[in-house]
Amino acid sequence: MTRPATETAWRGDDFPSWLSPMVVKELRQGVQSGAFAWTFIGLQAAMFLTLAITVASFEASNRSSRSTFEVFFWVMVAAAVLIIIPLRGLGAISGERAGSKLDLVQLTRLSATKIVLGKWLAIVAQAALIVSAILPYVVLRYFFGDINVISDLAVIGWLFAGSMIAAAAAIATSTRPLWQRIAVFVLALLSLRAIIDPFGPSRLFLASWAGLLVTLAFYTVALLQFAASTIAPIAENHALRKRSLGLAIGLTWCMFAGWTTPQMAISAMISTLPLVIFSAIEAVLEQPVHLRSQAAAFARFGTPGRLAAGLLTPGWATGLVYVLVMTAIWLPAMCWLGLVQAGTLDRDVVRALAYGILISAAVLFPLPAIFRIRKAQLRFGIYCLVQLICVLAYFFYASRPSGTSWDTWHIGWMWLLPLPLASLGSLTASGGSAEISFACCVAGVIVIAVVCLVMLLPWWREMRKLSRLLDAARVGHLQQRSVIEGSGTA
């Protein structure tokens, strides 16, 4: 007779058994790699030499050596924490694909989310090691005078938070082809000036440290979820997580609109709006997935589960419902902000309504042209082509010759109203006058209504397929439960 296996206490000389295998694998490879080792050694050597030179030339009345040390200190810390360590994530997924290791990893019990999360946690752990290694130098700087250790620790904390989202962005970028990774890197460099500009849009994001943390958390989760959905098999329902995140952001908008200042609420909306727009576009581009395993997760909850399935399962039909629900969340929040900011129901409220309606209309506008296309790349290409036509129409009007009849808005802008993205550009360029805002509201509502009418019959067919799949999953769940209850009674 064999004895049952007993768990032994963790001895502390190795990773604990409860830690994810992917975290252990990536952390061992990362710490033993030359990039991390040389970064760690080089940072320590540079810190020590700079500190030694500063101490040797330090005088109470001489502040030049102190300022020199400050500059070198923060440049080295930011370079290591924000650039060198997170950039290791650029090869996290592409390296696995190049070595044909990703398929072998997916054969294990690890899901795509656990694989991506393990790689991200390993990079974050390496950044934490770098941060902990520089903490003694933060304390030593206190003896130079005029140093606030608490504020310096707060800065290091923000750098570490930035390293977390940078690592998530690097891992998400590693799932794309090489040319897309290069394009993302170029766009990041071009937007760097706007991010660090103290008089630019970054002031809007810094309205509240709590709001900034929430925004960073939303972006980190969204980037990791995007990376996981890219490598996940079709059986995994990642639309549930993406759209749930979008709904959580929308509810956060409503909370900020009612409980905080208008400036802070507008900051929260603008900073997280790209996430909502991208999730809505992905929902519209998705092809329906008719799998009983996905339907069973909703069917067991009865009527609430059926309602949730009509919103959170993959496919353009449920994506259409998702966009309309997000519109219903977005518009009241924007109207409330416009009403609070203006004090009366005037131009600000109408302009806020116009922006919200046009964004939803722009997302849904290409749907009738792509819903029958099965190939993902072709579907995405046609979607971008339709939006590009709208943008070119706006630039055609913007570059019109002066002194023509197009200078009158109700002649020139009228032709742009059926194109939501072009109307969005015209609304922004005009400053949101009352006439243009009202016209854009009406045009956006008409576009949404036309798209819904055109897609009504195909949408009904897809929802009927989903309903039958839920019925079959519900019957299977009830049969399984009756068998379990019968065996328990026996």
Side-chain angles (χ1 to χ4, degrees), residues 10-43:
W10 181 48
R11 297 178 299 177
D13 57 350
D14 200 355
F15 293 100
S17 58
W18 51 263
L19 201 60
S20 172
M22 182 57 63
V23 177
V24 176
K25 167 184 170 295
E26 292 295 325
L27 192 55
R28 280 176 173 168
Q29 292 180 352
V31 173
Q32 294 174 0
S33 65
F36 176 81
W38 285 111
T39 300
F40 188 88
I41 296 173
L43 182 63

PDB file of all heavy atoms in Angstrom, residues 10-43:
ATOM      1  N   TRP A  10       8.055  24.936   1.886  1.00  0.00           N
ATOM      2  CA  TRP A  10       8.993  25.587   0.974  1.00  0.00           C
ATOM      3  C   TRP A  10      10.274  25.913   1.722  1.00  0.00           C
ATOM      4  O   TRP A  10      10.276  26.588   2.745  1.00  0.00           O
ATOM      5  CB  TRP A  10       8.361  26.862   0.410  1.00  0.00           C
ATOM      6  CG  TRP A  10       9.248  27.586  -0.549  1.00  0.00           C
ATOM      7  CD1 TRP A  10       9.937  27.059  -1.583  1.00  0.00           C
ATOM      8  CD2 TRP A  10       9.544  28.987  -0.543  1.00  0.00           C
ATOM      9  NE1 TRP A  10      10.646  28.022  -2.246  1.00  0.00           N
ATOM     10  CE2 TRP A  10      10.426  29.217  -1.634  1.00  0.00           C
ATOM     11  CE3 TRP A  10       9.154  30.064   0.248  1.00  0.00           C
ATOM     12  CZ2 TRP A  10      10.906  30.476  -1.925  1.00  0.00           C
ATOM     13  CZ3 TRP A  10       9.633  31.316  -0.063  1.00  0.00           C
ATOM     14  CH2 TRP A  10      10.504  31.513  -1.132  1.00  0.00           C
ATOM     15  N   ARG A  11      11.403  25.433   1.190  1.00  0.00           N
ATOM     16  CA  ARG A  11      12.696  25.606   1.851  1.00  0.00           C
ATOM     17  C   ARG A  11      13.332  26.958   1.557  1.00  0.00           C
ATOM     18  O   ARG A  11      14.271  27.358   2.232  1.00  0.00           O
ATOM     19  CB  ARG A  11      13.650  24.488   1.416  1.00  0.00           C
ATOM     20  CG  ARG A  11      13.193  23.092   1.825  1.00  0.00           C
ATOM     21  CD  ARG A  11      14.162  22.043   1.314  1.00  0.00           C
ATOM     22  NE  ARG A  11      14.253  22.064  -0.140  1.00  0.00           N
ATOM     23  CZ  ARG A  11      15.075  21.281  -0.837  1.00  0.00           C
ATOM     24  NH1 ARG A  11      15.893  20.448  -0.203  1.00  0.00           N
ATOM     25  NH2 ARG A  11      15.096  21.341  -2.143  1.00  0.00           N
ATOM     26  N   GLY A  12      12.868  27.647   0.532  1.00  0.00           N
ATOM     27  CA  GLY A  12      13.384  28.968   0.241  1.00  0.00           C
ATOM     28  C   GLY A  12      14.566  29.002  -0.700  1.00  0.00           C
ATOM     29  O   GLY A  12      15.045  30.083  -1.038  1.00  0.00           O
ATOM     30  N   ASP A  13      15.068  27.848  -1.147  1.00  0.00           N
ATOM     31  CA  ASP A  13      16.218  27.823  -2.045  1.00  0.00           C
ATOM     32  C   ASP A  13      15.813  27.667  -3.512  1.00  0.00           C
ATOM     33  O   ASP A  13      16.657  27.545  -4.388  1.00  0.00           O
ATOM     34  CB  ASP A  13      17.168  26.692  -1.665  1.00  0.00           C
ATOM     35  CG  ASP A  13      16.473  25.333  -1.660  1.00  0.00           C
ATOM     36  OD1 ASP A  13      15.229  25.312  -1.759  1.00  0.00           O
ATOM     37  OD2 ASP A  13      17.165  24.304  -1.558  1.00  0.00           O
ATOM     38  N   ASP A  14      14.529  27.649  -3.778  1.00  0.00           N
ATOM     39  CA  ASP A  14      14.039  27.543  -5.140  1.00  0.00           C
ATOM     40  C   ASP A  14      12.665  28.206  -5.209  1.00  0.00           C
ATOM     41  O   ASP A  14      12.116  28.623  -4.196  1.00  0.00           O
ATOM     42  CB  ASP A  14      13.942  26.079  -5.567  1.00  0.00           C
ATOM     43  CG  ASP A  14      13.906  25.930  -7.087  1.00  0.00           C
ATOM     44  OD1 ASP A  14      13.854  26.966  -7.766  1.00  0.00           O
ATOM     45  OD2 ASP A  14      13.926  24.784  -7.578  1.00  0.00           O
ATOM     46  N   PHE A  15      12.107  28.285  -6.413  1.00  0.00           N
ATOM     47  CA  PHE A  15      10.790  28.883  -6.568  1.00  0.00           C
ATOM     48  C   PHE A  15       9.729  28.003  -5.921  1.00  0.00           C
ATOM     49  O   PHE A  15       9.797  26.771  -6.013  1.00  0.00           O
ATOM     50  CB  PHE A  15      10.464  29.088  -8.051  1.00  0.00           C
ATOM     51  CG  PHE A  15      11.335  30.105  -8.729  1.00  0.00           C
ATOM     52  CD1 PHE A  15      12.409  29.711  -9.514  1.00  0.00           C
ATOM     53  CD2 PHE A  15      11.079  31.461  -8.569  1.00  0.00           C
ATOM     54  CE1 PHE A  15      13.206  30.657 -10.140  1.00  0.00           C
ATOM     55  CE2 PHE A  15      11.874  32.411  -9.195  1.00  0.00           C
ATOM     56  CZ  PHE A  15      12.943  32.008  -9.978  1.00  0.00           C
ATOM     57  N   PRO A  16       8.724  28.580  -5.280  1.00  0.00           N
ATOM     58  CA  PRO A  16       7.665  27.770  -4.676  1.00  0.00           C
ATOM     59  C   PRO A  16       6.821  27.075  -5.736  1.00  0.00           C
ATOM     60  O   PRO A  16       6.746  27.509  -6.886  1.00  0.00           O
ATOM     61  CB  PRO A  16       6.847  28.797  -3.882  1.00  0.00           C
ATOM     62  CG  PRO A  16       7.124  30.099  -4.533  1.00  0.00           C
ATOM     63  CD  PRO A  16       8.537  30.026  -5.043  1.00  0.00           C
ATOM     64  N   SER A  17       6.170  25.984  -5.348  1.00  0.00           N
ATOM     65  CA  SER A  17       5.410  25.177  -6.297  1.00  0.00           C
ATOM     66  C   SER A  17       4.143  25.880  -6.780  1.00  0.00           C
ATOM     67  O   SER A  17       3.634  25.564  -7.857  1.00  0.00           O
ATOM     68  CB  SER A  17       5.034  23.837  -5.647  1.00  0.00           C
ATOM     69  OG  SER A  17       4.273  24.068  -4.463  1.00  0.00           O
ATOM     70  N   TRP A  18       3.618  26.836  -5.993  1.00  0.00           N
ATOM     71  CA  TRP A  18       2.386  27.499  -6.397  1.00  0.00           C
ATOM     72  C   TRP A  18       2.610  28.561  -7.474  1.00  0.00           C
ATOM     73  O   TRP A  18       1.662  29.046  -8.072  1.00  0.00           O
ATOM     74  CB  TRP A  18       1.701  28.157  -5.188  1.00  0.00           C
ATOM     75  CG  TRP A  18       2.598  29.042  -4.363  1.00  0.00           C
ATOM     76  CD1 TRP A  18       3.257  28.704  -3.222  1.00  0.00           C
ATOM     77  CD2 TRP A  18       2.934  30.416  -4.626  1.00  0.00           C
ATOM     78  NE1 TRP A  18       3.984  29.769  -2.742  1.00  0.00           N
ATOM     79  CE2 TRP A  18       3.798  30.837  -3.589  1.00  0.00           C
ATOM     80  CE3 TRP A  18       2.580  31.329  -5.613  1.00  0.00           C
ATOM     81  CZ2 TRP A  18       4.314  32.131  -3.528  1.00  0.00           C
ATOM     82  CZ3 TRP A  18       3.098  32.613  -5.551  1.00  0.00           C
ATOM     83  CH2 TRP A  18       3.947  32.994  -4.517  1.00  0.00           C
ATOM     84  N   LEU A  19       3.860  28.896  -7.737  1.00  0.00           N
ATOM     85  CA  LEU A  19       4.158  29.899  -8.745  1.00  0.00           C
ATOM     86  C   LEU A  19       3.943  29.315 -10.141  1.00  0.00           C
ATOM     87  O   LEU A  19       4.203  28.126 -10.378  1.00  0.00           O
ATOM     88  CB  LEU A  19       5.592  30.384  -8.588  1.00  0.00           C
ATOM     89  CG  LEU A  19       5.948  31.740  -9.206  1.00  0.00           C
ATOM     90  CD1 LEU A  19       5.107  32.843  -8.602  1.00  0.00           C
ATOM     91  CD2 LEU A  19       7.433  32.035  -9.009  1.00  0.00           C
ATOM     92  N   SER A  20       3.468  30.126 -11.071  1.00  0.00           N
ATOM     93  CA  SER A  20       3.182  29.657 -12.423  1.00  0.00           C
ATOM     94  C   SER A  20       4.451  29.149 -13.104  1.00  0.00           C
ATOM     95  O   SER A  20       5.508  29.776 -13.005  1.00  0.00           O
ATOM     96  CB  SER A  20       2.580  30.802 -13.250  1.00  0.00           C
ATOM     97  OG  SER A  20       2.453  30.428 -14.605  1.00  0.00           O
ATOM     98  N   PRO A  21       4.378  28.002 -13.791  1.00  0.00           N
ATOM     99  CA  PRO A  21       5.571  27.486 -14.485  1.00  0.00           C
ATOM    100  C   PRO A  21       6.126  28.463 -15.519  1.00  0.00           C
ATOM    101  O   PRO A  21       7.338  28.525 -15.721  1.00  0.00           O
ATOM    102  CB  PRO A  21       5.059  26.206 -15.155  1.00  0.00           C
ATOM    103  CG  PRO A  21       3.848  25.815 -14.387  1.00  0.00           C
ATOM    104  CD  PRO A  21       3.237  27.089 -13.913  1.00  0.00           C
ATOM    105  N   MET A  22       5.250  29.235 -16.156  1.00  0.00           N
ATOM    106  CA  MET A  22       5.724  30.196 -17.147  1.00  0.00           C
ATOM    107  C   MET A  22       6.521  31.311 -16.483  1.00  0.00           C
ATOM    108  O   MET A  22       7.533  31.773 -17.027  1.00  0.00           O
ATOM    109  CB  MET A  22       4.534  30.774 -17.916  1.00  0.00           C
ATOM    110  CG  MET A  22       4.907  31.749 -19.011  1.00  0.00           C
ATOM    111  SD  MET A  22       6.048  31.071 -20.242  1.00  0.00           S
ATOM    112  CE  MET A  22       5.043  29.763 -20.939  1.00  0.00           C
ATOM    113  N   VAL A  23       6.101  31.744 -15.310  1.00  0.00           N
ATOM    114  CA  VAL A  23       6.849  32.766 -14.585  1.00  0.00           C
ATOM    115  C   VAL A  23       8.233  32.239 -14.211  1.00  0.00           C
ATOM    116  O   VAL A  23       9.243  32.935 -14.361  1.00  0.00           O
ATOM    117  CB  VAL A  23       6.081  33.223 -13.333  1.00  0.00           C
ATOM    118  CG1 VAL A  23       6.895  34.241 -12.540  1.00  0.00           C
ATOM    119  CG2 VAL A  23       4.731  33.817 -13.713  1.00  0.00           C
ATOM    120  N   VAL A  24       8.283  31.005 -13.705  1.00  0.00           N
ATOM    121  CA  VAL A  24       9.566  30.404 -13.317  1.00  0.00           C
ATOM    122  C   VAL A  24      10.485  30.283 -14.529  1.00  0.00           C
ATOM    123  O   VAL A  24      11.679  30.634 -14.467  1.00  0.00           O
ATOM    124  CB  VAL A  24       9.319  29.036 -12.662  1.00  0.00           C
ATOM    125  CG1 VAL A  24      10.652  28.353 -12.342  1.00  0.00           C
ATOM    126  CG2 VAL A  24       8.495  29.190 -11.391  1.00  0.00           C
ATOM    127  N   LYS A  25       9.946  29.780 -15.627  1.00  0.00           N
ATOM    128  CA  LYS A  25      10.762  29.601 -16.839  1.00  0.00           C
ATOM    129  C   LYS A  25      11.308  30.930 -17.340  1.00  0.00           C
ATOM    130  O   LYS A  25      12.517  31.061 -17.600  1.00  0.00           O
ATOM    131  CB  LYS A  25       9.908  28.931 -17.912  1.00  0.00           C
ATOM    132  CG  LYS A  25      10.506  28.950 -19.312  1.00  0.00           C
ATOM    133  CD  LYS A  25       9.551  28.362 -20.312  1.00  0.00           C
ATOM    134  CE  LYS A  25      10.006  28.591 -21.738  1.00  0.00           C
ATOM    135  NZ  LYS A  25      10.038  30.011 -22.138  1.00  0.00           N
ATOM    136  N   GLU A  26      10.442  31.924 -17.485  1.00  0.00           N
ATOM    137  CA  GLU A  26      10.871  33.204 -18.030  1.00  0.00           C
ATOM    138  C   GLU A  26      11.797  33.954 -17.074  1.00  0.00           C
ATOM    139  O   GLU A  26      12.740  34.619 -17.502  1.00  0.00           O
ATOM    140  CB  GLU A  26       9.645  34.063 -18.349  1.00  0.00           C
ATOM    141  CG  GLU A  26       8.800  33.537 -19.487  1.00  0.00           C
ATOM    142  CD  GLU A  26       9.543  33.560 -20.807  1.00  0.00           C
ATOM    143  OE1 GLU A  26      10.344  34.495 -21.009  1.00  0.00           O
ATOM    144  OE2 GLU A  26       9.319  32.660 -21.625  1.00  0.00           O
ATOM    145  N   LEU A  27      11.536  33.835 -15.775  1.00  0.00           N
ATOM    146  CA  LEU A  27      12.377  34.547 -14.817  1.00  0.00           C
ATOM    147  C   LEU A  27      13.769  33.945 -14.755  1.00  0.00           C
ATOM    148  O   LEU A  27      14.774  34.668 -14.663  1.00  0.00           O
ATOM    149  CB  LEU A  27      11.716  34.517 -13.435  1.00  0.00           C
ATOM    150  CG  LEU A  27      12.308  35.450 -12.373  1.00  0.00           C
ATOM    151  CD1 LEU A  27      12.344  36.882 -12.867  1.00  0.00           C
ATOM    152  CD2 LEU A  27      11.514  35.361 -11.078  1.00  0.00           C
ATOM    153  N   ARG A  28      13.856  32.626 -14.808  1.00  0.00           N
ATOM    154  CA  ARG A  28      15.180  31.988 -14.831  1.00  0.00           C
ATOM    155  C   ARG A  28      15.957  32.372 -16.083  1.00  0.00           C
ATOM    156  O   ARG A  28      17.141  32.729 -16.018  1.00  0.00           O
ATOM    157  CB  ARG A  28      15.017  30.472 -14.753  1.00  0.00           C
ATOM    158  CG  ARG A  28      14.756  29.953 -13.338  1.00  0.00           C
ATOM    159  CD  ARG A  28      14.515  28.469 -13.352  1.00  0.00           C
ATOM    160  NE  ARG A  28      14.436  27.930 -11.999  1.00  0.00           N
ATOM    161  CZ  ARG A  28      14.006  26.710 -11.698  1.00  0.00           C
ATOM    162  NH1 ARG A  28      13.620  25.899 -12.674  1.00  0.00           N
ATOM    163  NH2 ARG A  28      13.964  26.304 -10.454  1.00  0.00           N
ATOM    164  N   GLN A  29      15.304  32.305 -17.228  1.00  0.00           N
ATOM    165  CA  GLN A  29      15.992  32.673 -18.464  1.00  0.00           C
ATOM    166  C   GLN A  29      16.355  34.158 -18.489  1.00  0.00           C
ATOM    167  O   GLN A  29      17.422  34.532 -18.979  1.00  0.00           O
ATOM    168  CB  GLN A  29      15.103  32.335 -19.659  1.00  0.00           C
ATOM    169  CG  GLN A  29      14.898  30.842 -19.879  1.00  0.00           C
ATOM    170  CD  GLN A  29      14.005  30.554 -21.065  1.00  0.00           C
ATOM    171  OE1 GLN A  29      13.414  31.458 -21.651  1.00  0.00           O
ATOM    172  NE2 GLN A  29      13.886  29.290 -21.430  1.00  0.00           N
ATOM    173  N   GLY A  30      15.460  34.993 -17.956  1.00  0.00           N
ATOM    174  CA  GLY A  30      15.732  36.423 -17.980  1.00  0.00           C
ATOM    175  C   GLY A  30      16.868  36.829 -17.068  1.00  0.00           C
ATOM    176  O   GLY A  30      17.748  37.607 -17.458  1.00  0.00           O
ATOM    177  N   VAL A  31      16.883  36.301 -15.842  1.00  0.00           N
ATOM    178  CA  VAL A  31      17.928  36.676 -14.889  1.00  0.00           C
ATOM    179  C   VAL A  31      19.290  36.131 -15.319  1.00  0.00           C
ATOM    180  O   VAL A  31      20.327  36.764 -15.108  1.00  0.00           O
ATOM    181  CB  VAL A  31      17.552  36.177 -13.480  1.00  0.00           C
ATOM    182  CG1 VAL A  31      18.688  36.392 -12.496  1.00  0.00           C
ATOM    183  CG2 VAL A  31      16.307  36.900 -12.987  1.00  0.00           C
ATOM    184  N   GLN A  32      19.295  34.947 -15.941  1.00  0.00           N
ATOM    185  CA  GLN A  32      20.560  34.349 -16.369  1.00  0.00           C
ATOM    186  C   GLN A  32      21.067  34.898 -17.697  1.00  0.00           C
ATOM    187  O   GLN A  32      22.171  34.567 -18.111  1.00  0.00           O
ATOM    188  CB  GLN A  32      20.388  32.834 -16.482  1.00  0.00           C
ATOM    189  CG  GLN A  32      20.132  32.151 -15.147  1.00  0.00           C
ATOM    190  CD  GLN A  32      19.831  30.672 -15.297  1.00  0.00           C
ATOM    191  OE1 GLN A  32      19.807  30.142 -16.414  1.00  0.00           O
ATOM    192  NE2 GLN A  32      19.583  29.997 -14.189  1.00  0.00           N
ATOM    193  N   SER A  33      20.254  35.703 -18.364  1.00  0.00           N
ATOM    194  CA  SER A  33      20.673  36.243 -19.663  1.00  0.00           C
ATOM    195  C   SER A  33      21.728  37.331 -19.482  1.00  0.00           C
ATOM    196  O   SER A  33      21.813  37.993 -18.444  1.00  0.00           O
ATOM    197  CB  SER A  33      19.469  36.799 -20.421  1.00  0.00           C
ATOM    198  OG  SER A  33      18.934  37.908 -19.729  1.00  0.00           O
ATOM    199  N   GLY A  34      22.507  37.531 -20.529  1.00  0.00           N
ATOM    200  CA  GLY A  34      23.548  38.545 -20.459  1.00  0.00           C
ATOM    201  C   GLY A  34      23.001  39.955 -20.419  1.00  0.00           C
ATOM    202  O   GLY A  34      23.605  40.852 -19.818  1.00  0.00           O
ATOM    203  N   ALA A  35      21.847  40.175 -21.050  1.00  0.00           N
ATOM    204  CA  ALA A  35      21.280  41.529 -21.082  1.00  0.00           C
ATOM    205  C   ALA A  35      20.947  42.018 -19.678  1.00  0.00           C
ATOM    206  O   ALA A  35      21.284  43.145 -19.300  1.00  0.00           O
ATOM    207  CB  ALA A  35      20.030  41.545 -21.964  1.00  0.00           C
ATOM    208  N   PHE A  36      20.291  41.165 -18.889  1.00  0.00           N
ATOM    209  CA  PHE A  36      19.950  41.579 -17.527  1.00  0.00           C
ATOM    210  C   PHE A  36      21.199  41.688 -16.658  1.00  0.00           C
ATOM    211  O   PHE A  36      21.342  42.640 -15.871  1.00  0.00           O
ATOM    212  CB  PHE A  36      18.975  40.587 -16.905  1.00  0.00           C
ATOM    213  CG  PHE A  36      18.650  40.884 -15.473  1.00  0.00           C
ATOM    214  CD1 PHE A  36      17.708  41.847 -15.152  1.00  0.00           C
ATOM    215  CD2 PHE A  36      19.292  40.212 -14.436  1.00  0.00           C
ATOM    216  CE1 PHE A  36      17.404  42.135 -13.828  1.00  0.00           C
ATOM    217  CE2 PHE A  36      18.997  40.495 -13.115  1.00  0.00           C
ATOM    218  CZ  PHE A  36      18.051  41.461 -12.807  1.00  0.00           C
ATOM    219  N   ALA A  37      22.108  40.726 -16.789  1.00  0.00           N
ATOM    220  CA  ALA A  37      23.307  40.743 -15.947  1.00  0.00           C
ATOM    221  C   ALA A  37      24.152  41.991 -16.214  1.00  0.00           C
ATOM    222  O   ALA A  37      24.582  42.674 -15.268  1.00  0.00           O
ATOM    223  CB  ALA A  37      24.130  39.475 -16.197  1.00  0.00           C
ATOM    224  N   TRP A  38      24.368  42.304 -17.496  1.00  0.00           N
ATOM    225  CA  TRP A  38      25.178  43.481 -17.804  1.00  0.00           C
ATOM    226  C   TRP A  38      24.456  44.779 -17.467  1.00  0.00           C
ATOM    227  O   TRP A  38      25.097  45.766 -17.079  1.00  0.00           O
ATOM    228  CB  TRP A  38      25.577  43.471 -19.278  1.00  0.00           C
ATOM    229  CG  TRP A  38      26.661  42.481 -19.585  1.00  0.00           C
ATOM    230  CD1 TRP A  38      26.575  41.336 -20.307  1.00  0.00           C
ATOM    231  CD2 TRP A  38      28.023  42.556 -19.138  1.00  0.00           C
ATOM    232  NE1 TRP A  38      27.769  40.677 -20.354  1.00  0.00           N
ATOM    233  CE2 TRP A  38      28.693  41.414 -19.641  1.00  0.00           C
ATOM    234  CE3 TRP A  38      28.746  43.462 -18.368  1.00  0.00           C
ATOM    235  CZ2 TRP A  38      30.032  41.157 -19.400  1.00  0.00           C
ATOM    236  CZ3 TRP A  38      30.093  43.212 -18.129  1.00  0.00           C
ATOM    237  CH2 TRP A  38      30.716  42.086 -18.639  1.00  0.00           C
ATOM    238  N   THR A  39      23.137  44.780 -17.584  1.00  0.00           N
ATOM    239  CA  THR A  39      22.384  45.969 -17.165  1.00  0.00           C
ATOM    240  C   THR A  39      22.519  46.183 -15.666  1.00  0.00           C
ATOM    241  O   THR A  39      22.747  47.310 -15.194  1.00  0.00           O
ATOM    242  CB  THR A  39      20.898  45.806 -17.537  1.00  0.00           C
ATOM    243  OG1 THR A  39      20.790  45.654 -18.950  1.00  0.00           O
ATOM    244  CG2 THR A  39      20.094  47.018 -17.097  1.00  0.00           C
ATOM    245  N   PHE A  40      22.405  45.110 -14.907  1.00  0.00           N
ATOM    246  CA  PHE A  40      22.504  45.202 -13.451  1.00  0.00           C
ATOM    247  C   PHE A  40      23.908  45.645 -13.030  1.00  0.00           C
ATOM    248  O   PHE A  40      24.076  46.568 -12.221  1.00  0.00           O
ATOM    249  CB  PHE A  40      22.164  43.848 -12.827  1.00  0.00           C
ATOM    250  CG  PHE A  40      22.039  43.869 -11.339  1.00  0.00           C
ATOM    251  CD1 PHE A  40      20.826  44.168 -10.736  1.00  0.00           C
ATOM    252  CD2 PHE A  40      23.131  43.589 -10.519  1.00  0.00           C
ATOM    253  CE1 PHE A  40      20.703  44.191  -9.359  1.00  0.00           C
ATOM    254  CE2 PHE A  40      23.022  43.616  -9.151  1.00  0.00           C
ATOM    255  CZ  PHE A  40      21.802  43.918  -8.564  1.00  0.00           C
ATOM    256  N   ILE A  41      24.938  44.991 -13.583  1.00  0.00           N
ATOM    257  CA  ILE A  41      26.323  45.323 -13.219  1.00  0.00           C
ATOM    258  C   ILE A  41      26.681  46.736 -13.687  1.00  0.00           C
ATOM    259  O   ILE A  41      27.310  47.516 -12.951  1.00  0.00           O
ATOM    260  CB  ILE A  41      27.289  44.281 -13.812  1.00  0.00           C
ATOM    261  CG1 ILE A  41      27.026  42.900 -13.194  1.00  0.00           C
ATOM    262  CG2 ILE A  41      28.738  44.700 -13.580  1.00  0.00           C
ATOM    263  CD1 ILE A  41      27.817  41.789 -13.835  1.00  0.00           C
ATOM    264  N   GLY A  42      26.297  47.074 -14.920  1.00  0.00           N
ATOM    265  CA  GLY A  42      26.610  48.399 -15.427  1.00  0.00           C
ATOM    266  C   GLY A  42      25.944  49.503 -14.635  1.00  0.00           C
ATOM    267  O   GLY A  42      26.546  50.556 -14.381  1.00  0.00           O
ATOM    268  N   LEU A  43      24.704  49.296 -14.211  1.00  0.00           N
ATOM    269  CA  LEU A  43      24.008  50.301 -13.417  1.00  0.00           C
ATOM    270  C   LEU A  43      24.677  50.479 -12.058  1.00  0.00           C
ATOM    271  O   LEU A  43      24.860  51.617 -11.587  1.00  0.00           O
ATOM    272  CB  LEU A  43      22.540  49.898 -13.243  1.00  0.00           C
ATOM    273  CG  LEU A  43      21.657  50.875 -12.469  1.00  0.00           C
ATOM    274  CD1 LEU A  43      21.557  52.204 -13.208  1.00  0.00           C
ATOM    275  CD2 LEU A  43      20.265  50.288 -12.253  1.00  0.00           C
TER     276      LEU A  43
END
